[in-house]
Structure formats: C-alpha cells, structure tokens
Amino acid sequence: MKKILIINGHPDKESFNYVLSDAYKKGAAKAGAEIKEINIRELDFNPNLQYGYRKRTELEPDLLEAQDKLKWADHLVWIYPVWWGSVPAMMKGFLDRVLLPGFAFNKRENSLWWDKCFTGKTARIICTMDQPTWYYRLVYGSPSHQAMKKVTMHYIGVKKVRITAIGPIRLSKEEFRAKWLKKVEKLGQTNQ
C-alpha cells in the first residue's frame, strides 16, 4: 500500500487547488493508498528562516508534525498556484523552515557536496496558473517547475518528479475544470 502525502500550498481554502486536492485524494483512496495531508494555510508557524542555517530556529509543533508526515510518505503530491513564476510566499516559507539540514539533507564536512535524505520517494507537482501552460514553458522557461523539481526535490533526493500544469484558470469554463478534476482523480488512482 502506497503512503501518499498531499501538501496544498494555496492560502485560500475556497480555491480550485483545494478541489484538485480532493480529487487526487478521492482517486488515491479508490486505489487503497494510505493518505495524509498538509494544508499549509492551516499551520501555525513563522515562515521566515530568520538566521538561515547559521543558527537554529526551533520548529513549531505544526512543522514537527509536517516533518513526521514527510518522513512517513512514499509519494509527495504538491498542489499550489504559480504566482510570479514561483510558489506562494507561505509555501516558500514552509519549504525553508521544514527542509532543513539534518532532516532533508546532510552537509558533508569540508565539502561542497551533501547527502540526500529523501531518496526512494517520488513526487507529483500539480500547479495552476493564469496563463496557458505552453506560454509559461516557452516564454518564461517554467521557473517554478525548475525550482521545485530540480532545485528542491532533486536536491533532497526525490528523483522521480512528474509535473501537471493546469492553465489558464482565470476565465476558465466549468467544462475545463471538470476535465482536469477527472484527470487529477485518475492520477491519484494510479498513485502518480
């Protein structure tokens, strides 16, 4: 049985991202997966990594619980909107505060290299945007995809990362959204 963690980075619980989370969860439940969730908007934490890695900032209870869930999962599903070519500020703060040395990676002494602590895990990124996905890819080079997949997930050891980009959401019709909900539910059902 696959252990799936769904992490929703949208700050508005009324957003389409929350409906997408529910669709993925529904599909994963049909497939018999064990599912846990993190809705970043509900966590009580300071998103500012105040001292960088120079000095330790104690983790709040919600972040300690989030780390336990991240450790537990085989498959991470990140759902968020793309804003200004990146993830929402609260999600960025979550990544900064949770994916710490000693948890997500270990720095090697007297070396520029590091050891990755999330090897063996897989991930799916589901992101929404207000522009056509082809435009985001061709004109801007998909900066949030590069950052999440190659800079963040690969850095901590998650090698198999698939991306589902959905857009444009703004001005989209109900049929467009319904089609995507079916696709995302199927992703959940196949544990991808």
Side-chain angles (χ1 to χ4, degrees):
M1 181 185 316
K2 202 164 201 177
K3 296 184 286 189
I4 297 174
L5 176 62
I6 302 170
I7 307 110
N8 193 317
H10 202 298
D12 181 5
K13 68 179 179 182
E14 303 290 321
S15 73
F16 186 55
N17 283 235
Y18 273 80
V19 182
L20 289 167
S21 288
D22 289 342
Y24 191 97
K25 183 179 177 181
K26 181 179 174 185
K30 283 181 183 176
E34 197 175 341
I35 306 158
K36 292 186 181 183
E37 295 177 90
I38 296 173
N39 292 309
I40 296 172
R41 71 174 299 281
E42 296 172 1
L43 305 181
D44 183 19
F45 73 102
N46 178 354
N48 185 19
L49 186 62
Q50 188 171 352
Y51 306 106
Y53 298 143
R54 179 180 60 80
K55 181 178 168 185
R56 178 76 186 228
T57 301
E58 291 303 314
L59 292 175
E60 295 86 347
D62 283 354
L63 294 186
L64 291 170
E65 185 179 335
Q67 282 187 334
D68 288 343
K69 289 178 179 179
L70 287 161
K71 235 186 284 184
W72 166 86
D74 300 319
H75 185 63
L76 308 173
V77 181
W78 299 90
I79 300 176
Y80 58 88
V82 173
W83 289 344
W84 295 108
S86 188
V87 300
M90 187 65 84
M91 182 173 160
K92 177 64 169 80
F94 175 81
L95 293 168
D96 288 348
R97 292 290 315 284
V98 170
L99 300 180
L100 296 172
F103 172 70
F105 64 96
N106 289 305
K107 295 180 180 184
R108 295 181 187 167
E109 198 168 327
N110 299 316
S111 175
L112 295 176
W113 300 106
W114 65 98
D115 296 311
K116 303 168 181 189
C117 298
F118 278 51
T119 56
K121 294 183 186 293
T122 58
R124 164 70 61 181
I125 293 168
I126 300 171
C127 58
T128 58
M129 57 189 70
D130 283 339
Q131 60 189 298
T133 57
W134 62 265
Y135 188 86
Y136 184 68
R137 185 180 68 253
L138 294 175
V139 174
Y140 298 119
S142 305
S144 68
H145 299 168
Q146 300 300 322
M148 276 298 289
K149 180 177 181 174
K150 294 185 178 173
V151 182
T152 304
M153 292 294 101
H154 286 184
Y155 189 90
I156 63 175
V158 181
K159 287 291 182 202
K160 191 174 179 184
V161 181
R162 294 187 172 132
I163 298 173
T164 300
I166 305 169
I169 293 299
R170 192 170 82 74
L171 306 177
S172 65
K173 304 281 189 255
E174 190 58 40
E175 309 87 64
F176 176 85
R177 292 178 181 227
K179 176 187 85 166
W180 275 107
L181 290 174
K182 284 181 186 171
K183 286 183 178 183
V184 168
E185 182 178 334
K186 188 169 181 159
L187 289 174
Q189 202 164 353
T190 57
N191 294 168
Q192 293 186 13

